Amino acid sequence: MTQHTRVCVIGGGVVGASVLYHLTKLGWSDVLLVERSELTSGSTWHAAGGFHTLNGDTNMAALQGYTIRLYRELEALTGLSCGLHHVGGITLADNADRFDMLLAERAKHRYMGLETEIVTPDEIRQLAPIVNTDGILGALYDPLDGHLDPSGTTHAYAKAARMGGATIQTHTMVTATTQRPDGSWDIETDKGPIHAEHIVNAGGLWAREVGAMAGLSLPLHPMEHQYIVTDEIAEIYERDTEHPHVMDPAGESYLRQEGRGLCIGFYEQPCRPWAVDGTPWSFGHELLPDDFDKIEDSIAFAYRRFPVLERAGVKSVIHGPFTFAPDGNPLVGPIPGLRNYWSACGVMAGFSQGGGVGLMLAQWMTTGETERDPAAMDVARYGDWATPGYTLPKVIENYQTRFSVAYPNEELPAARPHRTTPMYDIFAGLGAVFGQQYGLEVPNYFATGDEPTYETPSFRRSDAFAATAREVAAVRDGVGINEVHNFGKYRVTGPGARDWLDRIMAGRIPLPGRLALNPMLAPSGRIMGDFTVSCLDETTFHLTASYGAQAMHMRWFDSFAEPGIRVENISDRLTGFQIAGPRAREVLAAATRETVTDMRFMDVRRVIVGMTDCVVQRVSYTGDLGFEIFCDPMGQRQLWQALMEAGAGHGLTPFGMRAMMSLRLDKGFGSWGSEYSPDYTAAETGLDRFIAWQKPTDFVGRNAAETERLAPPARSLAVFAVDSPDADVHGYEPVWIDGRVQGFCTSGGYAHHSKTSVALALIPRSLDQSGLEVEIEILGAMRRARRLDGPLFDPKGTRMRG
């Protein structure tokens, strides 16, 4: 007989158990977890059990804080012990860059409510006397860090889920998953069939195999990981209190007390991927053979940092596999293009992140939204291009850089170049220094002369500074050319396309030959997209947005699918260039026999440029006079030739994304993922100025937006000029007003044309007034900043609209 359930969670590790619990907590009690062996089988049972809040993404850090605080709640609810040891943790810095990173993280924590602090070498020795502080500049101390019992914690989640009505079936192996036409799922197991409305893949080490049953290729891979437990150490067991955790990034190690001895684990450089061709179904409670050779150098370094280790015997060695995504963050959320299939995979830090992952996924499933922007862990941050051949070298790279300094301008090299446009070799020949977005190679800037073709990572102004200034000047003083492939692009067609877009978008849907800027909102009013909508004719619309969000945006469009409306992701089927600057009109006119001098701001039309059939839009993110010129990739190189020949007499100069992001600061323009994201609403960020309040359509998010229109939210987005000599805002720096933190930066940088360090920040609306002076904490230094009353460049929009 078929068993029926609303949700079937596949996998009984800590993540699957957390998802099950949170679903019941949010009111879904008809939920089932199936596990092929016992709970904790796989990676959970042999995990070191450490937990911490430190994470480069603030939302992930907040969710890790939630996870840690949840354990006491679980213990109180279930009466089971999670084996909690809140001992605090210290992350050491042995060089200036690492110390800058800790200063930046501490600053982020101020507005997040995390009580971390920077400590000196003397304070390190008091907190953790076994640490040799030679060469240490300081450390970040987090009182929330600690460790727990992996088995006890997983069983506490499971008991709490059962108390909420969930069912758990162990020794039940899934052998097939098949979707029905109505979107529900038939799940075959060795104990009989299950019919579920939703599937959650929490398969851990077997997530790839479980995904393959549904035709999925998930970008994750297991890596071998080893830690050592020592015999008794007098300096440990004679202490009155438990020794805190110590993370030593220079030695690629983490250390904590284990009983009367120590536990130390390593992220060694000569690491090894595991089960490259698939995880054996027979694996479960086994360990891998000890392998001291690959951690020989790490152990030698640890002896210098923690001299007591050299005198300690080895009690046991734990060597087992853990699963990683290419960037080390989880893969969570609804799978794009596959209805009612959810991912909860790649959670390598399960005891730091498992609670937050369970909460976010349960919110997503039960309400359609999450309380925080899930971008850092959204499974949609990867597309079909993230093949196993791409994933393996990226996972190895992530493992090897687990404790490396995470710079804001760093471009990691593994598995690159992967995806390129027809312009790649031409740009490379011009000295392009490439970054990558959603797997695509994108020029960040162009090096000339003796300039290196590699940007040195830094928290301060980098060696790209001069090149970026040169490119900004080329745009503002003449005309620049930049590729537009790294826009997400969509075609919406059908007799009802206008009406459909009118419901999906909050702004005005333009008439033929015109375009309009459009926020796309969730029912809660939070921002799901920041689009340019162009009307080519009454049944054909062209949309552009962030290239990196295309899978997420297509998933959103699919959730509102209607018969007769066709939405195509043409991001890689349409490419081209933008030209921007006071001479842009002259260049375009010289490249075509058609009349373009009459194009108004926000016009769109078909134009033959050179020999290439193009769609030309009179708009530019640079805030200058500009045109976006879209074409088929097959014609891109000819279009380049035509534009470069036409621009030869006007000084047409290539520019990259570094210059683009500097140019937008002159105008105070926000960007997707920084100012505009599901963390914020249109009224908070100023996007409400593009909402078409007069249109009669009940567009998605209208009720929430109307509520904020009548009662504006407590915070608003402001732009500041910052007095900072050598470092700029990157994002999440705290804003101090009247001696306390009352806001935070969303993004910033150096506006080269205006010669001003600029920060965009969310601050209390009641304080967002002309003349406001604040302090912004940048790398531990308090920098004065003043609110700008208007754009630094072209405040009346004369150049942009003229």
Side-chain angles (χ1 to χ4, degrees), residues 229-468:
V229 179
T230 74
D231 286 329
E232 295 183 349
I233 298 174
E235 289 89 340
I236 296 299
Y237 66 72
E238 290 177 354
R239 285 174 55 87
D240 294 332
T241 58
E242 190 169 353
H243 198 280
H245 287 206
V246 182
M247 277 62 70
D248 181 21
E252 301 160 342
S253 71
Y254 57 88
L255 174 143
R256 67 168 176 82
Q257 183 170 337
E258 175 68 21
R260 291 163 65 89
L262 290 168
C263 165
I264 184 167
F266 305 100
Y267 284 91
E268 69 284 354
Q269 292 301 302
C271 59
R272 293 199 183 99
W274 182 77
V276 173
D277 296 318
T279 302
W281 288 109
S282 59
F283 190 83
H285 283 276
E286 299 84 1
L287 289 173
L288 306 177
D290 300 349
D291 188 349
F292 287 100
D293 289 344
K294 70 174 181 175
I295 59 173
E296 181 179 3
D297 291 343
S298 299
I299 291 174
F301 195 100
Y303 285 166
R304 295 192 296 273
R305 181 68 71 216
F306 311 107
V308 297
L309 289 174
E310 198 163 10
R311 306 190 301 272
V314 174
K315 181 178 180 180
S316 61
V317 179
I318 308 298
H319 191 201
F322 289 88
T323 301
F324 294 75
D327 61 2
N329 275 341
L331 299 171
V332 179
I335 298 292
L338 195 58
R339 185 178 171 192
N340 294 341
Y341 195 104
W342 305 79
S343 176
C345 307
V347 192
M348 60 78 49
F351 295 99
S352 292
Q353 300 172 342
V357 165
L359 175 66
M360 291 294 100
L361 192 64
Q363 289 177 342
W364 221 328
M365 295 178 74
T366 59
T367 70
E369 295 185 55
T370 56
E371 68 181 55
R372 295 180 178 275
D373 180 9
M377 63 178 178
D378 191 343
V379 67
R381 71 186 186 276
Y382 295 104
D384 294 341
W385 50 268
T387 63
Y390 167 89
T391 298
L392 179 57
K394 292 304 288 187
V395 165
I396 292 172
E397 178 185 63
N398 177 262
Y399 188 98
Q400 292 173 325
T401 57
R402 189 78 187 159
F403 280 156
S404 297
V405 177
Y407 297 96
N409 66 327
E410 187 170 27
E411 298 285 353
L412 295 172
R416 294 179 57 198
H418 179 32
R419 304 174 72 235
T420 61
T421 76
M423 290 299 298
Y424 181 79
D425 62 326
I426 293 177
F427 286 151
L430 293 171
V433 179
F434 288 97
Q436 71 84 33
Q437 183 183 18
Y438 200 62
L440 177 72
E441 295 295 317
V442 178
N444 279 338
Y445 64 96
F446 293 84
T448 61
D450 295 331
E451 292 176 341
T453 56
Y454 171 79
E455 182 181 7
T456 304
S458 176
F459 286 91
R460 300 172 190 272
R461 291 172 190 161
S462 78
D463 48 12
F465 192 79
T468 303

Side-chain angles (χ1 to χ4, degrees), residues 474-487:
V475 173
R476 289 286 186 247
D477 298 338
V479 58
I481 184 168
N482 173 268
E483 195 171 29
V484 294
H485 192 93
N486 59 320
F487 287 167

Side-chain angles (χ1 to χ4, degrees), residues 406-697:
Y407 297 96
N409 66 327
E410 187 170 27
E411 298 285 353
L412 295 172
R416 294 179 57 198
H418 179 32
R419 304 174 72 235
T420 61
T421 76
M423 290 299 298
Y424 181 79
D425 62 326
I426 293 177
F427 286 151
L430 293 171
V433 179
F434 288 97
Q436 71 84 33
Q437 183 183 18
Y438 200 62
L440 177 72
E441 295 295 317
V442 178
N444 279 338
Y445 64 96
F446 293 84
T448 61
D450 295 331
E451 292 176 341
T453 56
Y454 171 79
E455 182 181 7
T456 304
S458 176
F459 286 91
R460 300 172 190 272
R461 291 172 190 161
S462 78
D463 48 12
F465 192 79
T468 303
R470 183 172 62 241
E471 293 172 17
V472 165
V475 173
R476 289 286 186 247
D477 298 338
V479 58
I481 184 168
N482 173 268
E483 195 171 29
V484 294
H485 192 93
N486 59 320
F487 287 167
K489 297 171 282 286
Y490 313 88
R491 181 182 292 126
V492 181
T493 55
R498 174 178 293 279
D499 291 341
W500 184 82
L501 282 170
D502 214 21
R503 291 190 294 275
I504 300 302
M505 300 291 171
R508 179 178 54 83
I509 306 305
L511 296 174
R514 295 288 287 168
L515 62 87
L517 302 181
N518 258 280
M520 184 170 73
L521 306 181
S524 64
R526 293 194 290 174
I527 303 166
M528 297 303 294
D530 169 32
F531 284 82
T532 298
V533 177
S534 305
C535 181
L536 303 184
D537 59 54
E538 273 298 335
T539 61
T540 307
F541 293 84
H542 173 102
L543 281 57
T544 57
S546 170
Y547 186 82
Q550 60 188 270
M552 183 271 280
H553 283 152
M554 281 301 298
R555 184 177 61 196
W556 188 258
F557 294 150
D558 287 346
S559 69
F560 294 96
E562 291 182 9
I565 306 299
R566 186 179 185 191
V567 183
E568 301 171 84
N569 181 0
I570 59 170
S571 297
D572 295 327
R573 291 156 48 195
L574 201 64
T575 185
F577 305 96
Q578 70 162 317
I579 54 174
R583 298 179 184 173
R585 183 184 288 111
E586 299 166 62
V587 172
L588 181 60
T592 180
R593 295 178 60 83
E594 301 181 37
T595 301
V596 292
T597 54
D598 62 340
M599 285 190 72
R600 300 168 297 163
F601 181 59
M602 304 185 89
D603 270 357
V604 56
R605 67 177 62 161
R606 290 194 176 278
V607 179
I608 303 298
V609 182
M611 294 186 290
T612 307
D613 186 13
C614 301
V615 171
V616 178
Q617 302 188 157
R618 171 73 195 284
V619 69
S620 175
Y621 189 51
T622 65
D624 215 312
L625 169 65
F627 300 85
E628 294 173 352
I629 308 167
F630 296 93
C631 69
D632 186 294
M634 294 293 286
Q636 187 181 17
R637 291 170 74 104
Q638 195 287 318
L639 176 60
W640 167 264
Q641 182 179 351
L643 290 170
M644 291 304 289
E645 288 176 357
H650 301 283
L652 183 61
T653 302
F655 68 99
M657 289 305 298
R658 294 280 187 265
M660 174 79 86
M661 298 308 284
S662 175
L663 290 160
R664 64 107 181 177
L665 293 173
D666 282 329
K667 299 289 287 184
F669 288 166
S671 65
W672 178 256
S674 296
E675 286 69 44
Y676 310 138
S677 85
D679 274 334
Y680 313 125
T681 68
E684 289 177 318
T685 58
L687 276 184
D688 55 344
R689 67 188 183 277
F690 299 114
I691 292 178
W693 301 108
Q694 300 305 314
K695 72 179 185 179
T697 311

